[in-house]
Every structure is written in structure tokens, then in C-alpha cells.
Amino acid sequence: MPSDLHERICDVVARIPSGRVATYGQIAKLAGLGGQARLVGYALYASDRPLPWHRVINARGEVSRRGDSYSELFQYQLLASEGVEFDGQGRISLRRFRWNGEAPPSAGESS
């Protein structure tokens, strides 16, 4: 993958604010990659930058599995500490917590 695409993906992920989540597809769109969501996973796995991995989820609202159950549990704990809530199946409300690419809401503003 060209490094400029890699950096664009990582820059989008780095901007996801606390308490918000973004899907692979949304990240690809915000990085100017259209529907190439698979490239997002490749870029993130290859990155050595400190990124908010726990805020990257799949299209069903589930945390992105990274190979072991501890990592998945840790992602849930980090999201919960940021105020993100889950349903009985461990899914996040995309309507409530999804980041739209804009600046996070200011203090006191509800989402």
C-alpha cells in the first residue's frame, strides 16, 4: 500500500474523538478511498503509530477483533470508560456514538 494512503487512513483514525466510533467503511470514505474498507485494516495493522484502535469498529457495531480475546475485552473497557454503551449482544449504537468526521460536540451539547 502506498505510504500516502497509509498516512491518510491513520490520520483519520487519530482524529476520532473520545466517546465516538467509526467503521472501517467510514474511515475509508473520510480518507478518500471510497468503498475500499479492507485497506483500512491493512494500514492499521501495519502502523506503528499510537492510534485509538478501540474506536474502530465493524459495520455491525462490534469492536474490531485483533487476534486475541484479551485485546477485545480491553477495547470494550476503553470504550466503556469513554461513556460508550453496548447492547446485550456487545454492540455499539452506531446512531448514537458514530463519529461523522466533524469536530466533537462542545461541552454540554447532546448527541
Side-chain angles (χ1 to χ4, degrees), residues 4-91:
D4 62 325
L5 293 180
H6 180 273
E7 285 304 309
R8 286 188 352 225
I9 290 168
C10 292
D11 287 344
V12 169
V13 172
R15 292 194 327 262
I16 303 171
S18 177
R20 300 286 181 205
V21 295
T23 64
Y24 278 85
Q26 181 186 17
I27 292 165
K29 183 178 177 184
L30 291 169
L33 303 176
Q36 300 181 55
R38 185 176 296 179
L39 293 178
V40 173
Y42 294 146
L44 295 180
Y45 278 107
S47 178
D48 58 358
R49 288 174 57 178
L51 296 168
W53 253 100
H54 60 289
R55 298 178 190 150
V56 179
I57 63 170
N58 68 27
R60 293 181 302 276
E62 301 163 334
V63 299
S64 177
R65 292 182 174 86
R66 298 192 60 198
D68 62 58
S69 58
Y70 173 77
S71 176
E72 192 175 331
L73 176 62
F74 188 59
Q75 287 175 271
Y76 278 114
Q77 291 172 338
L78 286 171
L79 286 166
S81 74
E82 294 179 2
V84 175
E85 298 168 357
F86 310 91
D87 66 15
Q89 297 178 321
R91 294 181 178 172

